[in-house]
Amino acid sequence: MNNLIISSLFSGTELRDLHHTVDSVISHYPDNHFAQRLKKVVDGDNTSLLDLLLSIKDYLYSSQKELDNQHNNFPIPRRLSSEEGVLCAKAMLNYQVGSNFLTLSTPVVSQKLMDVYEQKQKRKVKKVEMDLALISRLSDQNYSQYSSAGQRMAVRVALTCPQDSTLFINLPTGCGKTLVAHACMLFSKSKALTIVIVPTVGLAIEQGKRAKELLEKADSDSVQNYAWHGQLSDGEKSEIRDNIDNDKQKVIFTSPESVTGSLLPLLFRLAKQNSIANIIIDEAHLIDTWGSNFRSEFQRFGALVASLRQVSNSPFKTILMSATFTQSNIGSLTTLYCESDNKPIVVNGNFLRPEISSSYKNEGENNHLQSVVGRVIALPKPLILYTTLVQDSIDLSCHLKAIGLNRIALFNGKTDIRSREKIIEQWQKDDLDIIIATSAFGVGMDKSNVKSVIHACIPDNIDRYYQEIGRAGRDGEAATSEVIYYNKQLAKAKKINSERIISTELGFKKWKGMWDRRVEVSSHSVLKGDLYLLDTSYYHEGLSNQSDRNEDWNWLTLLFMQRAGLIRIFYDVPEIEDDSELNDFERNSQRKEYWKGYNSKILVLILNEQCLSNLYWETNIQKHRNKEKKTQDNGFLTLSENITSLEQPICKELVKYYTVNGNSPQRACGGCVACEGFLPTVGDDVSVDNYSSSHLLPNTLNDYISFDNVCSVYYDKSQDLTSELKWSVFIKLMLDRKYIFAVKGDIEFLKRLAGKQKGLKSFKPFWISQSYLDNSNIWPSLHINSSIGSEVLIPSFEDQATFFLAEYNQKTKSNKYRLWWQDNNKSIPLTNFIKIVEKNTCL
């Protein structure tokens, strides 16, 4: 009976009564998440009685605030059997025989859990006006504001930084890093592709669907498939290649394995055609945490990016995004993805997640399963249950199904692509209540209303823990997380966290073996520097050349050397000879043989001549290895000590752990061990390192800029720009020539300018629109004071050139006897200023 669906447990009349009751609930509480979920459960075609009872339980808790205990009940349309009554008790409900009412058996729960049921808004973030150019390009009424000042800065910097920039964007989960990728895609040059690297197939599929919806609303050409993965048919892959060749495909979402494998020839071809606009890596902290051993393609891709940069005559942006960059991540990724003479730009708008309360419970091994199942029953849904091992996820899934839960799904590393697609779709549509998963599920998953996360394990490091609890509460409402563990799991987590970093002895042996068989590349047709071709299939004495891991370890050796500053790695530029005269069989055989050889070769540039010194490896390189090992161990120790000691608030540990370039994430907390919660307004604290805009000014304009970087321009409305259309044309000229990137003024005035048919609306490149209250100006800008009669507030000591325009007769607050522009001997009338702008070209 446990897994029978409700349509078989109730008659047609009883089902109609049940639906009527739920519809009545919805009409009374239309904004109640748990009432809405109750309707999804009742309407579902695979709902068991226990699924229904748990959903009723969640609804009753959520309605306690509106209803006193006398009326806080739910009518069941028929009398329940004694066996069904046992299920009610399991679901924390009392069944009242006679009235057929269900009531809560334990009406009182903790305040933190009550906050979840009452949908208490925990995230206090001040939204800010979105730039008019982006609003216009998105053509979506749902987009009118940035979610935070950090998101605004990230989008603006990404769209205005030099085209050859490498950019790190550090924003909290739920603050819209995806919008950065979408904005780059929308404002990239025509006939150029944006490549987005994501860590999981599920995320590629989800992001591809979102991009398709966005492009269709933006009136751009859309195609069928924006995600590239191994389960696509040959026909689907061929269609994607054709769409790229025909300039129909603006973006593609894929994995690091694909871009260093099946997509590699296409990327080189696009680079040669100057058709790469942006390379964006989402969840980029995984390059460091996963790529040092497991899935080394995350780090191999850095070598490919370096080669593509040299192949392409048109530079492209490389953007790495995460919610959890550490200082160690930034350091490692800089060596892997940045040119030595090009410092990365870092936008840091990070703050800790205020929505999630967290707790830990140490259970005996014999009671662990029972305790986990009890909390799965008790906690509000949707819920994610995490395990470390695949087998544990399978065992828990089987057990939960055995007790009567149907609205659940299992998602781990062995879940096939089609099943993943189906599960993700069901999860997004609220057709599932519980996901039992390993870390394979949920990275970057954009589901906003997850209420609970349970770890039936000790996560192997603090990064994994914080990422996984961060799947909850993305809508800003209260959520809860619990770790339920037994002591043996500590050793298991420590072992998993301790990924093997190659020893200096073995590393030197492998390096020396590859180096002794090197081929010097005297003059490469494209790549620069004294390069050497190495064979990564080399195997040293005592190791079989059939070992599956041999080539991986050779790669890991080279990547370790690159992180240590010994070498720089490049992919060779593939050159396939003309095979048009061959038949299909010969052509395929020839190409297969070519790529087999190609994939076992790599180019290196020596950065430190001591890379061949065994003594140097034993001393300096051993120190670097010890540093990496210490960083790796620290991720586990920080979490395990916090879980076992129960003394230090995890929020304080997270602030220290995620400090980057001296900038700590703003502390916030939904309540953790030794901390009742800390909920300030967050999201306004943003830092930007190493940014400079690529604006160009002719000397004739520079002559009018004062020592504080301000050019004062006065105008007479009766003589100069007498219409908004003329204003619009003038501003467009300034933007076109990259004298400015931002326009500041009354926002309604700017909206009218942007709406002019021949004005800013037709200006396709991105431009920044700033209100008077927006002080985030790190760009050369045009500041228009369009209000006549008010006092003028002249900007002072600007970082970038600022052209300040105000009406001739206005004055400043500090000097009521002189006109505002008379204190600056470099002031210029607008008529003359326009002549200079129209005459000059950028120097």
Side-chain angles (χ1 to χ4, degrees):
M1 189 211 75
N2 279 3
N3 294 96
L4 293 177
I5 59 176
I6 59 172
S7 61
S8 66
L9 296 172
F10 295 95
S11 69
T13 301
E14 290 165 350
L15 279 175
R16 284 194 294 273
D17 289 344
L18 182 59
H19 281 277
H20 177 76
T21 301
V22 173
D23 289 341
S24 177
V25 165
I26 294 290
S27 66
H28 282 90
Y29 310 112
D31 298 324
N32 185 315
H33 160 82
F34 299 98
Q36 297 288 346
R37 283 196 69 79
L38 177 56
K39 180 170 178 57
K40 292 288 292 188
V41 170
V42 170
D43 291 344
D45 57 8
N46 192 39
T47 298
S48 70
L49 182 57
L50 184 57
D51 292 327
L52 173 64
L53 295 174
L54 290 181
S55 188
I56 292 171
K57 179 263 298 182
D58 282 349
Y59 158 69
L60 290 177
Y61 274 120
S62 71
S63 63
Q64 282 193 115
K65 190 173 183 179
E66 286 85 9
L67 299 171
D68 57 40
N69 286 336
Q70 182 179 355
H71 296 95
N72 192 26
N73 54 54
F74 187 90
I76 286 291
R78 68 164 171 81
R79 183 171 181 171
L80 299 182
S81 67
S82 58
E83 189 177 358
E84 290 169 335
V86 171
L87 271 185
C88 289
K90 183 178 288 188
M92 304 169 62
L93 295 170
N94 288 326
Y95 171 57
Q96 299 177 1
V97 180
S99 65
N100 289 342
F101 280 160
L102 295 176
T103 59
L104 293 168
S105 59
T106 309
V108 179
V109 294
S110 68
Q111 184 56 53
K112 290 177 182 176
L113 208 52
M114 209 62 230
D115 287 347
V116 180
Y117 280 120
E118 292 178 357
Q119 299 174 245
K120 185 169 289 186
Q121 188 69 27
K122 290 292 189 76
R123 182 184 296 187
K124 302 175 182 177
V125 182
K126 183 181 178 182
K127 293 185 177 183
V128 292
E129 288 289 330
M130 184 174 283
D131 291 294
L132 296 173
L134 185 53
I135 292 175
S136 175
R137 192 72 185 87
L138 288 167
S139 300
D140 187 340
Q141 61 183 2
N142 294 320
Y143 286 99
S144 61
Q145 292 180 309
Y146 290 116
S147 65
S148 67
Q151 187 192 49
R152 176 178 67 186
M153 183 63 77
V155 169
R156 288 175 171 179
V157 170
L159 294 179
T160 60
C161 65
Q163 194 61 27
D164 62 349
S165 298
T166 300
L167 172 62
F168 289 90
I169 292 177
N170 198 24
L171 289 177
T173 299
C175 274
K177 295 184 294 295
T178 303
L179 181 63
V180 179
H182 288 167
C184 288
M185 168 185 74
L186 289 171
F187 284 96
S188 63
K189 65 180 183 179
S190 60
K191 300 183 180 180
L193 183 69
T194 292
I195 301 125
V196 184
I197 310 300
V198 295
T200 66
V201 172
L203 187 55
I205 294 167
E206 185 211 12
Q207 293 280 27
K209 289 179 179 177
R210 292 177 64 189
K212 181 178 176 65
E213 293 170 0
L214 181 141
L215 286 167
E216 287 173 349
K217 288 182 179 179
D219 293 329
S220 292
D221 291 335
S222 78
V223 297
Q224 183 61 34
N225 204 330
Y226 288 95
W228 178 288
H229 51 82
Q231 296 298 311
L232 291 175
S233 67
D234 290 342
E236 289 170 321
K237 290 181 178 179
S238 178
E239 183 180 2
I240 291 175
R241 290 192 183 96
D242 289 343
N243 288 333
I244 291 172
D245 289 338
N246 296 326
D247 304 320
K248 293 181 179 179
Q249 187 116 11
K250 292 287 291 181
V251 65
I252 191 168
F253 297 85
T254 190
S255 67
E257 288 83 359
S258 290
V259 288
T260 55
S262 59
L263 282 173
L264 184 144
L266 174 64
L267 293 185
F268 270 108
R269 181 158 55 82
L270 291 172
K272 289 178 181 179
Q273 296 169 354
N274 302 322
S275 295
I276 297 177
N278 310 282
I279 292 178
I280 301 173
I281 307 173
D282 199 9
E283 307 295 343
H285 63 281
L286 296 176
I287 298 170
D288 194 24
T289 56
W290 283 4
S292 296
N293 189 326
F294 170 63
R295 295 183 71 181
S296 62
E297 288 83 2
F298 272 108
Q299 295 193 7
R300 297 189 197 190
F301 184 49
L304 178 55
V305 170
S307 298
L308 294 174
R309 282 177 174 148
Q310 293 199 31
V311 169
S312 178
N313 291 320
S314 176
F316 54 82
K317 296 175 185 177
T318 305
I319 302 175
L320 301 101
M321 306 193 297
S322 176
T324 54
F325 278 130
T326 65
Q327 192 65 58
S328 173
N329 294 154
I330 297 292
S332 294
L333 298 181
T334 297
T335 64
L336 292 167
Y337 281 86
C338 293
E339 304 298 329
S340 57
D341 57 347
N342 194 1
K343 286 186 177 181
I345 302 166
V346 181
V347 178
N348 193 350
N350 214 0
F351 55 83
L352 297 189
R353 297 287 304 280
E355 307 90 349
I356 307 158
S357 66
S358 58
S359 64
Y360 319 126
K361 186 177 183 181
N362 188 349
E363 279 283 5
E365 186 173 355
N366 292 336
N367 297 326
H368 181 257
L369 175 61
Q370 182 180 352
S371 181
V372 169
V373 172
R375 297 313 290 163
V376 169
I377 294 290
L379 294 182
K381 314 299 185 293
L383 179 150
I384 305 174
L385 173 60
Y386 277 111
T387 69
T388 295
L389 302 179
V390 170
Q391 189 57 50
D392 288 344
S393 69
I394 295 171
D395 292 344
L396 273 167
S397 175
C398 291
H399 188 85
L400 292 174
K401 287 181 179 178
I403 66 171
L405 292 172
N406 281 1
R407 288 171 54 86
I408 67 175
L410 173 64
F411 195 115
N412 57 43
K414 295 184 177 181
T415 307
D416 64 76
I417 298 298
R418 299 305 178 193
S419 296
R420 291 184 181 203
E421 289 180 335
K422 182 179 179 181
I423 291 169
I424 291 166
E425 183 178 2
Q426 290 176 314
W427 184 238
Q428 297 288 15
K429 291 181 176 180
D430 286 333
D431 291 333
L432 295 171
D433 295 330
I434 301 165
I435 298 285
I436 306 99
T438 60
S439 289
F441 175 76
V443 177
M445 193 70 68
D446 189 24
K447 181 174 175 64
S448 65
N449 64 355
V450 176
K451 299 300 179 186
S452 307
V453 172
I454 299 175
H455 282 95
C457 59
I458 295 280
D460 33 283
N461 56 58
I462 194 169
D463 279 307
R464 177 189 161 191
Y465 170 73
Y466 191 53
Q467 282 280 335
E468 288 176 352
I469 68 171
R471 312 280 149 75
R474 291 169 67 108
D475 54 7
E477 294 180 358
T480 188
S481 74
E482 298 184 6
V483 176
I484 306 170
Y485 71 101
Y486 54 91
N487 289 331
K488 286 183 180 179
Q489 290 178 323
L490 284 164
K492 193 178 296 183
K494 183 178 181 180
K495 182 179 180 181
I496 292 171
N497 179 68
S498 298
E499 286 187 7
R500 292 172 63 192
I501 301 174
I502 194 165
S503 68
T504 51
E505 180 183 358
L506 179 59
F508 183 75
K509 188 175 184 179
K510 284 184 166 292
W511 161 244
K512 190 72 165 53
M514 287 186 283
W515 178 256
D516 288 345
R517 291 157 180 80
R518 71 193 180 277
V519 175
E520 184 174 357
V521 181
S522 57
S523 178
H524 197 280
S525 59
V526 177
L527 304 178
K528 301 172 185 175
D530 296 325
L531 301 171
Y532 298 90
L533 186 70
L534 302 185
D535 184 354
T536 57
S537 66
Y538 158 78
Y539 61 99
H540 60 80
E541 185 179 351
L543 182 67
S544 168
N545 63 337
Q546 301 301 316
S547 170
D548 292 336
R549 287 288 284 160
N550 175 54
E551 188 159 353
D552 283 342
W553 277 108
N554 287 336
W555 256 106
L556 292 171
T557 299
L558 297 174
L559 291 168
F560 172 73
M561 292 176 67
Q562 177 160 292
R563 298 196 302 274
L566 294 178
I567 61 173
R568 185 80 175 160
I569 309 172
F570 298 91
Y571 275 77
D572 200 359
V573 181
E575 297 291 346
I576 303 240
E577 296 180 3
D578 182 17
D579 55 10
S580 57
E581 295 183 0
L582 302 177
N583 61 45
D584 288 345
F585 176 80
E586 292 171 329
R587 184 183 300 112
N588 290 336
S589 297
Q590 181 173 305
R591 291 186 177 184
K592 185 176 180 180
E593 189 64 25
Y594 173 83
W595 286 112
K596 182 180 178 181
Y598 176 89
N599 289 329
S600 63
K601 301 294 190 295
I602 202 70
L603 293 170
V604 298
L605 174 70
I606 303 300
L607 300 180
N608 185 334
E609 295 295 338
Q610 297 203 64
C611 64
L612 296 171
S613 165
N614 192 24
L615 178 62
Y616 190 80
W617 274 73
E618 291 175 350
T619 54
N620 293 60
I621 300 305
Q622 182 62 42
K623 287 180 182 178
H624 181 83
R625 184 183 186 278
N626 292 342
K627 181 182 176 182
E628 286 197 358
K629 189 71 173 64
K630 183 178 179 181
T631 298
Q632 186 185 83
D633 292 343
N634 188 45
F636 168 74
L637 290 172
T638 301
L639 178 63
S640 61
E641 289 174 1
N642 185 266
I643 287 176
T644 55
S645 70
L646 301 178
E647 293 178 358
Q648 177 76 340
I650 190 71
C651 56
K652 287 188 176 181
E653 294 292 343
L654 291 167
V655 166
K656 290 187 289 184
Y657 193 81
Y658 290 116
T659 294
V660 171
N661 292 350
N663 298 303
S664 300
Q666 189 175 354
R667 183 182 165 212
C669 181
C672 61
V673 174
C675 175
E676 287 301 311
F678 190 74
L679 302 173
T681 300
V682 290
D684 288 338
D685 191 8
V686 188
S687 64
V688 182
D689 297 329
N690 304 323
Y691 173 83
S692 63
S693 57
S694 55
H695 75 292
L696 300 168
L697 287 178
N699 291 331
T700 45
L701 277 185
N702 272 319
D703 292 342
Y704 292 96
I705 297 176
S706 62
F707 71 94
D708 54 2
N709 253 348
V710 177
C711 174
S712 297
V713 182
Y714 54 89
Y715 65 90
D716 185 336
K717 279 205 168 183
S718 65
Q719 296 178 343
D720 295 318
L721 301 183
T722 56
S723 73
E724 289 174 352
L725 180 58
K726 287 185 177 180
W727 274 109
S728 180
V729 172
F730 162 64
I731 295 170
K732 181 179 182 298
L733 183 61
M734 295 280 287
L735 290 165
D736 270 335
R737 294 191 171 178
K738 293 190 176 181
Y739 296 166
I740 58 170
F741 285 89
V743 184
K744 189 170 187 175
D746 175 71
I747 200 68
E748 293 303 320
F749 174 68
L750 296 182
K751 285 180 180 178
R752 292 197 299 272
L753 296 185
K756 294 300 172 184
Q757 185 178 1
K758 296 183 179 180
L760 298 183
K761 194 169 184 179
S762 63
F763 182 68
K764 291 183 180 180
F766 177 75
W767 61 284
I768 295 165
S769 52
Q770 295 182 293
S771 69
Y772 291 128
L773 299 177
D774 183 354
N775 295 316
S776 60
N777 193 21
I778 58 173
W779 305 270
S781 63
L782 181 70
H783 185 161
I784 304 172
N785 186 77
S786 58
S787 302
I788 296 177
S790 62
E791 294 173 336
V792 171
L793 183 62
I794 305 173
S796 58
F797 300 105
E798 295 292 308
D799 293 331
Q800 298 281 354
T802 300
F803 301 96
F804 180 75
L805 278 66
E807 207 270 332
Y808 176 90
N809 290 317
Q810 291 179 287
K811 299 177 181 179
T812 62
K813 189 174 183 179
S814 60
N815 192 338
K816 298 182 179 180
Y817 301 100
R818 288 169 61 85
L819 300 177
W820 72 272
W821 52 271
Q822 291 178 330
D823 288 331
N824 184 348
N825 60 7
K826 290 189 175 184
S827 297
I828 180 175
L830 179 59
T831 304
N832 293 354
F833 182 78
I834 292 174
K835 289 179 180 178
I836 294 173
V837 171
E838 290 176 339
K839 180 179 179 181
N840 283 281
T841 57
C842 299
L843 300 180

